């Protein structure tokens, strides 16, 4: 400005310049054309007018020094949407990876046969909330969107799931333009209801930083990240709805719409039903109300309390502005939402183990505190430098800090040095705009992160990139403000602009490369090896992926490394024992599985696999005991009942075997192996009528299973129901044309039936598929001799 002298009130024309001015009385001058919220902190102090004018000058200049150009709002939003889409579009045709399998593919809540009401009684993974194994992650609205995806796409086709995630992130990034406009520019309206000081350059730049941040890849490329995306969407809608409540004001103070405040609370409830941290928007709304709407100066209030200033007795700024009433509404709404959630979920906490969050299990409070703070610094580093990203940060990825001599203490010191510096600036600066920006930026950085901080309850992870999706809003805000300050104090504007463009381009490239790693599990798991080589879960997942592909030798190597890194990793022991069992290395398999059940006595899968190994070693008594122990810890365990039935069949106890298999089919009606074994066992003991009845029952439940068709066809053939048997054989062959036994047994049926030409045809097809099948070859030779004999007799 040309002069530092305060201008007379009649010269302040805020409606033309878009500046925010305050007056000693806390009212807008009649000639300004503005309906303003007071920016006054010291009522009646006329000497403050020059200070307020100086603050206003900074308000205007900040957006002017941001090294970007002004473009219309709709073009800004289109640019943000386009950039965010380009960053994450590469993930559109990825597979279901990592947690997607449990939360989506194996989640019965997505199926049409599951009543919609069950979604409100189950957790995110489809388990009952009352179950001891439930993680208490209550996100029914997110699961509902998965169910809609499943219905509209006609099954588990990942493309549609991925596209919804991409579009959600694009929508959130576009909303961030409006959110940042309010955070940077405040809430000032003309008499016609148009908001002033839109901060177009600051809001665009911050929204671009948010749209291209690589740490968001897990939320967008990982389908289960939709919980965070939906939670963030309704978090922002709740905040924007709260801001909408203040579109009107008068000379007596701030006016607000109770309807919009209540709608904001409703949006917060929806956000929480998508992801738990959504409830934190109520806290942020309260901070925004106090700092931006009611213009509180926290430092000034603290100083007055310390000096027992009598001006504190004048609480008109509370009564007239309705702050207490609005805070009461927010608190009451939040308490009601949490109470309803508590009633639905029950009081039992989720069951986490030491490998999920080792610091929370440390006996020393000092060790817990120092490691929690180190985790905070790691989260901050992921925001600053999102180059080392990993799908999982548990199991030794970040070793515990147990002594102050650990060099990693430096990270804690750096974090708190920066935070304390920012907090002091936010509280002590004479610049009201700077106070608002820093406080809101820190608020957005910290408040949504609180549920993941371990301060209120134990969480089931060390670091999770998905939980900093919302806190990254605060980071992007502070980063933008920092570039504005740098640009203001340097003449090298082009260098600042080049740096901004460089950061955006680097982040875009990182997003694209990271999305390619999330396209399938092999790339995702292997990408983590270089980031967290000490993480046993990373080696376990690489090994599991190799085992699923049939590469047992490589899988064994990674499983062994997982057990070496974490000698109590029972799941790695269980999988390694399984592979060794298949390779007939029974002794080592038994040792591993026995150790697994010693470490975790209620590990039902390990008990069952131990029983299988003991059965293979012909130690039938021990095997039976292991099976029953597994059933003790998991009563609904159809696979264990199936293996128990096999044991009884080997022991020539057919009734016990039939009972075990019947239990398996009762618990899992689509258990094909159990149905087949029942049919075959009844056939072998000559009970053809019951075998036929069981086969027909199985086909009603699993009408398209060719193996059951085959077994039932054999029974019907022995019962001389040739026509029905033929139909089932042909149907089974149509479903599985390369099964030599299917063709061979149909040939036997024709052989018995006297249809020798067709018998000859199917014997030859069967032998072509499996030339070494001894039974088929013998029967074919018998048929040829029969045909030769018939030919001789006819001559």
């Amino acid at each position: 400005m040309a002069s530092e002298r305060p201008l007379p009130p009649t010269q302040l024309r805020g409606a033309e310049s878009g500046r925010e001015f305050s007056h000693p009385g806390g009212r807008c001058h009649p000639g300004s054309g503005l309906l303003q919220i007071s920016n006054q902190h010291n009522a009646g102090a006329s000497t403050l007018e020059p200070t307020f004018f100086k603050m206003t000058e900074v308000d205007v200049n900040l957006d002017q020094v941001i090294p970007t150009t002004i473009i219309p709002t709709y073009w800004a939003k289109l640019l943000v949407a386009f950039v965010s889409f380009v960053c994450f579009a590469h993930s559109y045709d990825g597979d279901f990876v990592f947690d997607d399998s449990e939360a989506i593919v194996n989640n019965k809540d997505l199926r049409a046969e599951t009543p919609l009401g069950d979604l409100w009684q189950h957790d995110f993974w489809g388990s009952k909330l009352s179950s001891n194994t439930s993680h208490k992650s209550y996100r029914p609205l997110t699961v509902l969107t998965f169910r809609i995806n499943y219905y509209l796409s006609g099954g588990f086709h990942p493309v549609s799931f991925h596209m919804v995630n991409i579009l959600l992130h694009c929508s959130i990034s576009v909303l961030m333009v409006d959110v940042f406009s309010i955070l940077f520019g405040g809430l000032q309206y003309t008499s016609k209801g148009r908001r002033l000081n839109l901060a177009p350059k600051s809001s665009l730049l911050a929204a671009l930083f948010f749209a291209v941040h690589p740490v968001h890849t897990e939320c967008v490329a990982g389908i289960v990240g939709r919980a965070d995306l939906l939670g963030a969407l309704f978090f922002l809608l709740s905040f924007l709805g709260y801001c909408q409540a203040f579109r009107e004001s008068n000379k007596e103070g701030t006016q607000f719409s109770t309807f919009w405040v209540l709608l904001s609370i409703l949006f917060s409830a929806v956000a929480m039903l998508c992801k738990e941290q959504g409830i934190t928007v109520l806290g942020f709304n309260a901070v925004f109300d106090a700092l931006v709407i009611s213009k509180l100066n926290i430092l000034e209030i603290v100083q007055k309390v310390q000096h027992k200033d009598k001006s504190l007795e004048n609480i008109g700024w509370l009564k007239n502005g309705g702050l207490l009433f609005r805070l009461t509404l927010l608190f009451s709404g939040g308490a009601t939402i949490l109470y309803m959630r508590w009633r639905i979920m029950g009081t039992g906490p989720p069951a986490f183990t030491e490998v999920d969050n080792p610091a929370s299990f440390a006996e020393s409070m000092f060790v817990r505190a120092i490691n929690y703070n180190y985790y905070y610094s790691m989260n901050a580093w992921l925001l600053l430098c999102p180059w080392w990203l990993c799908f999982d940060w548990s199991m030794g990825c970040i070793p515990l800090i147990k002594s102050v001599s650990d060099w990693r203490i430096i990270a804690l010191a750096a974090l708190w040095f920066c935070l304390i510096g920012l907090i002091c600036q936010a509280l002590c600066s004479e610049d009201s705009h700077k106070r608002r920006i820093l406080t809101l930026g820190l608020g957005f950085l910290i408040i949504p992160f609180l549920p993941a901080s371990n301060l209120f309850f134990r969480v089931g992870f060390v670091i999770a990139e998905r939980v900093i999706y919302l806190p990254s809003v605060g980071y992007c805000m502070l980063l933008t403000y920092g570039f504005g300050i740098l640009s203001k104090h340097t003449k090298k504007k082009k260098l600042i602009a080049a740096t901004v463009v460089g950061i955006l381009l680097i982040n875009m490239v990182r997003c694209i490369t990271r999305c390619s790693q999330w396209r399938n599990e092999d790339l995702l798991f292997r990408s983590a090896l270089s980031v967290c080589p000490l993480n046993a879960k990373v080696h376990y997942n690489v090994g599991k992926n190799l085992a699923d592909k049939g590469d047992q030798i490589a899988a064994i190597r990674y499983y062994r490394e997982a057990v070496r890194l974490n000698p109590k990793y029972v799941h790695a022991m269980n999988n390694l024992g399984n592979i060794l069992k298949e390779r007939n290395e029974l002794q080592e398999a038994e040792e591993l599985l026995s150790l697994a059940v010693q470490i975790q006595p209620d590990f039902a899968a390990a008990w069952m696999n131990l029983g299988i190994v003991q059965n293979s070693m012909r130690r039938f008594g021990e095997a039976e005991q292991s099976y029953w122990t597994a059933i003790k810890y998991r009563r609904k365990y159809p696979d264990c009942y199936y293996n128990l039935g096999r044991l009884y069949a080997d022991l020539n106890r057919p009734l016990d075997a039939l009972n075990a298999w019947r239990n398996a089919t009762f618990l899992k009606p689509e258990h094909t192996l159990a149905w087949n074994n029942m049919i075959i066992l009844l056939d072998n003991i000559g009970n053809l009528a019951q075998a036929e009845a069981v086969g027909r029952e199985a086909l009603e439940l699993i009408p398209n299973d060719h193996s059951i068709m085959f077994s039932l066809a054999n029974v019907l053939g022995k019962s001389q129901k040739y026509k029905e048997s033929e139909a089932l054989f042909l149907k089974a062959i149509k479903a599985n044309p390369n099964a030599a036994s299917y063709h061979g047994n149909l040939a036997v049926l024709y052989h018995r039936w006297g249809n020798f030409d067709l018998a000859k045809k199917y014997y030859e097809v069967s032998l072509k598929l499996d030339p070494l099948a001894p039974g088929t070859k013998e029967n074919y030779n018998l048929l040829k001799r029969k045909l030769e004999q018939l030919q001789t007799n006819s001559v």
Side-chain angles (χ1 to χ4, degrees):
M1 301 294 291
S3 173
E4 293 295 327
R5 293 181 295 110
L7 298 175
T10 55
Q11 290 181 263
L12 300 180
R13 305 298 295 176
E16 297 173 0
S17 65
R19 301 174 183 176
E20 300 175 19
F21 298 110
S22 296
H23 300 273
R27 303 177 183 176
C28 180
H29 191 273
S32 68
L34 297 179
L35 295 174
Q36 270 189 297
I37 299 169
S38 173
N39 194 33
Q40 182 178 348
H41 307 294
N42 200 0
S46 60
T47 57
L48 290 180
E49 189 172 355
T51 305
F52 281 125
F53 183 77
K54 187 175 181 181
M55 293 177 188
T56 302
E57 183 180 13
V58 174
D59 283 359
V60 176
N61 286 344
L62 179 65
D63 205 55
Q64 292 177 352
V65 298
I66 293 292
T68 61
T69 59
I70 296 178
I71 60 176
T73 302
Y74 60 89
W75 281 112
K77 292 181 177 180
L78 283 175
L79 175 62
V80 170
F82 173 76
V83 169
S84 59
F85 184 80
V86 168
C87 285
F88 298 100
H90 194 49
S91 66
Y92 86 98
D93 61 345
D95 299 333
F96 292 111
V97 297
F98 196 41
D99 287 339
D100 295 346
S101 299
E102 290 301 316
I104 299 172
V105 179
N106 298 329
N107 192 343
K108 293 183 178 180
D109 286 344
L110 272 64
R111 313 295 175 89
E113 59 269 21
T114 303
L116 279 173
D118 286 6
L119 270 64
W120 301 91
Q121 302 172 21
H122 294 173
D123 65 16
F124 186 58
W125 311 95
S127 301
K128 287 186 176 181
L129 288 167
S130 56
S131 171
N132 292 333
T133 59
S134 173
H135 279 200
K136 307 296 183 182
S137 47
Y138 187 59
R139 306 164 193 171
L141 294 184
T142 302
V143 178
L144 180 61
T145 67
F146 291 151
R147 182 166 174 149
I148 294 171
N149 250 139
Y150 174 80
Y151 173 76
L152 293 178
S153 60
F156 292 112
H157 304 295
V159 171
S160 65
F161 288 84
H162 281 295
M163 285 305 302
V164 171
N165 276 29
I166 294 168
L167 293 176
L168 276 173
H169 177 67
C170 292
S171 302
I172 292 166
S173 299
V174 169
L175 271 182
M176 290 311 308
V177 177
D178 293 326
V179 171
F180 283 126
S181 178
I182 293 172
L183 296 177
F184 282 111
L187 282 177
Q188 298 288 340
Y189 293 92
T190 67
S191 58
K192 296 182 180 180
R194 297 185 62 182
R195 196 163 63 83
L196 297 173
N197 198 16
L198 300 177
K201 292 195 290 185
S202 303
S203 57
L204 172 60
L205 182 57
L208 286 172
F209 280 137
F210 177 85
V212 304
H213 204 295
V215 83
H216 298 160
T217 311
E218 180 176 351
C219 291
V220 184
I223 298 173
V224 294
R226 186 177 301 179
D228 300 88
L229 296 173
L230 288 171
L233 176 65
F234 287 103
F235 184 108
L236 300 179
L237 290 176
S238 175
F239 171 70
L240 292 173
Y242 197 80
C243 294
Q244 191 71 15
F246 302 97
R247 287 185 63 86
E248 297 181 2
S249 60
N250 64 15
K251 296 181 180 181
E252 299 302 324
T254 303
Q255 300 296 307
F256 66 93
S257 168
T258 304
F259 167 78
W260 282 104
V261 175
L262 294 176
L263 185 63
S264 173
I265 294 172
L266 177 62
F267 277 135
S268 72
V270 175
M272 191 191 68
L273 291 175
C274 297
K275 180 67 184 286
E276 292 77 7
Q277 68 183 145
I279 191 69
T280 59
V281 68
L282 297 178
F284 185 78
N285 286 346
V287 171
F288 180 81
D289 194 339
L291 297 179
V292 177
I293 307 302
S294 300
K295 303 289 184 182
L296 298 189
N297 186 331
I298 304 301
L299 181 63
E300 184 179 333
I301 293 174
V302 171
Q303 290 174 342
K304 287 185 177 183
V305 170
Q306 290 177 342
H307 295 89
K308 298 181 180 180
D309 195 320
K310 292 183 179 180
S311 64
L312 278 174
E313 298 174 1
N314 180 13
I315 58 172
W317 47 272
L318 286 175
K319 291 182 178 179
N320 295 336
L323 177 60
L324 281 178
F325 176 69
R326 294 193 297 273
L327 293 182
T328 301
L329 282 179
L330 292 175
F331 176 81
S332 301
T336 302
I337 294 169
L338 291 174
Y339 174 74
M340 294 299 295
R341 180 184 173 91
W342 174 77
R343 287 296 302 268
I344 293 172
M345 293 179 54
T347 56
F352 296 124
T353 61
E354 185 175 354
V355 295
D356 296 319
N357 186 355
S360 66
F361 286 86
E363 295 182 1
S364 168
M365 184 177 293
F366 169 77
V367 173
R368 289 199 301 272
I370 203 168
N371 281 281
Y372 288 159
N373 280 273
Y374 182 65
Y375 296 162
Y376 305 156
S377 67
M378 287 295 295
N379 279 281
W381 180 248
L382 289 178
L383 289 173
L384 287 167
C385 184
W387 199 257
W388 293 275
L389 300 175
C390 185
F391 71 94
D392 185 271
W393 293 83
S394 62
M395 288 199 180
C397 193
I398 303 177
L400 287 179
I401 297 176
K402 298 180 179 180
S403 169
V404 292
S405 60
D406 194 311
W407 66 269
R408 290 175 292 170
I409 294 290
I410 299 172
L412 279 70
L415 172 70
W416 283 106
F417 175 80
C418 294
L419 279 179
I420 292 172
L422 288 171
I423 292 170
C424 289
Q425 287 291 312
L427 293 178
C428 304
S429 175
E430 294 182 355
D431 183 345
S432 63
H433 181 78
K434 184 177 183 179
R435 288 201 306 270
R436 185 179 76 236
I437 297 298
L438 292 180
T439 308
L440 293 179
L442 288 170
F444 234 124
L445 188 68
I446 295 171
I447 293 174
F449 183 75
L450 288 176
S453 65
N454 286 288
L455 292 177
F456 305 107
F457 45 80
R458 175 185 291 155
V459 298
F461 52 83
V462 176
I463 292 175
E465 294 163 18
R466 59 188 177 275
V467 303
I468 51 180
Y469 187 84
L470 267 173
S472 67
V473 176
Y475 163 77
C476 294
M477 186 176 177
L478 295 174
L479 182 63
T480 302
Y481 183 75
F483 273 117
I485 297 300
L486 282 176
S487 184
K488 180 183 177 182
H489 290 90
T490 183
K491 295 181 181 180
K492 299 179 180 179
K493 310 290 184 184
K494 292 183 179 180
L495 178 61
I496 299 296
T499 303
V500 169
V501 173
I503 291 175
L504 291 174
L505 290 176
I506 290 172
N507 281 356
M508 288 181 69
V509 171
R510 181 61 179 135
C511 283
I512 294 170
T513 56
R514 184 61 178 158
C515 279
S516 67
Q517 294 171 345
W518 273 88
R519 288 168 61 84
N520 61 66
E521 289 192 334
D522 183 55
L523 291 172
L524 178 65
F525 297 154
R526 289 185 181 278
S527 70
L529 288 173
S530 59
V531 179
C532 288
L534 300 180
N535 188 336
K537 187 181 285 189
V538 170
H539 292 273
Y540 167 84
N541 279 290
V542 173
K544 184 176 182 299
N545 195 53
L546 289 167
D548 292 341
K549 292 180 177 180
D551 191 350
Q552 291 187 339
I553 295 177
I556 288 173
R557 185 170 70 252
Y558 281 100
Y559 280 142
R560 290 193 191 280
E561 180 65 10
V563 174
R564 186 190 71 80
L565 292 170
N566 186 351
K568 295 183 179 181
Y569 199 174
V570 293
H571 293 284
M573 294 176 188
N574 178 61
N575 286 17
L576 178 56
N578 264 337
I579 292 182
L580 294 173
K581 173 198 68 181
E582 293 173 7
R583 296 172 63 84
N584 206 34
E585 299 178 31
L586 300 180
Q587 188 64 40
E588 186 180 359
E590 184 187 22
E591 292 174 0
L592 281 166
L593 293 167
S594 297
L595 179 58
V597 296
Q598 286 177 21
I599 296 171
Q600 186 178 330
D602 63 347
F603 191 4
W607 277 112
M608 182 189 74
N609 290 324
L610 178 60
I612 295 172
V613 172
Q614 291 166 338
N615 190 17
S616 301
M617 299 173 76
R618 307 190 66 79
R619 287 163 33 198
F620 300 120
E622 294 177 40
E624 182 181 12
Q625 184 61 41
S626 295
Y627 288 142
W628 282 114
T629 305
I631 293 169
K632 170 187 172 183
Y633 290 118
R634 189 192 297 179
R635 295 186 178 183
K636 297 181 179 180
Y637 203 172
D639 288 340
C640 193
Y641 276 112
Y642 166 74
N643 285 301
L644 181 61
R646 288 187 57 188
L647 169 67
Y648 287 143
D650 291 341
L651 293 174
N652 198 25
R653 294 163 58 179
L655 291 179
D656 289 334
L658 288 171
N659 286 333
W661 288 328
R662 176 58 73 176
N663 283 332
T665 58
F666 176 77
L667 294 171
K668 186 180 178 181
E670 67 277 12
H671 204 303
T672 301
L673 291 174
W675 284 115
N676 259 319
N677 279 15
M678 277 196 286
I679 298 169
I680 294 169
L681 179 59
L682 289 167
D683 183 2
N684 289 340
I685 64 178
N687 195 341
L688 296 180
Q690 191 176 352
E692 180 181 342
V694 170
R696 294 187 186 279
E697 181 185 356
L699 271 185
E700 287 182 6
L701 294 169
I702 321 172
N704 298 318
D705 190 284
H706 55 80
S707 62
I708 293 177
M709 295 176 196
F710 172 71
S711 298
L712 180 56
N714 283 327
V715 173
L716 293 171
K718 291 180 181 180
S719 301
Q720 297 185 354
K721 297 180 180 180
Y722 297 132
K723 196 68 179 176
E724 199 175 354
S725 176
E726 177 193 29
L728 279 175
F729 272 130
L730 291 173
K731 196 173 179 180
I733 287 172
K734 184 178 180 181
N736 188 15
N738 295 321
S741 59
Y742 290 10
H743 294 275
N745 282 29
L746 177 57
V748 171
L749 175 71
Y750 285 132
H751 197 158
R752 289 179 181 174
W753 201 356
N755 196 334
F756 299 134
D757 291 335
L758 286 175
K760 181 175 181 293
K761 171 187 173 183
Y762 281 98
Y763 276 138
E764 290 173 351
V765 174
S766 178
L767 288 170
K768 185 177 181 181
L769 292 170
D770 184 7
L772 301 178
T776 304
K777 194 169 185 179
E778 182 179 345
N779 287 335
Y780 180 54
N781 290 331
L782 288 173
L783 177 64
K784 285 198 296 184
R785 286 196 294 270
K786 180 72 173 178
L787 289 173
E788 290 172 359
Q789 183 181 359
L790 290 174
Q791 188 176 7
T792 302
N793 292 338
S794 65
V795 172

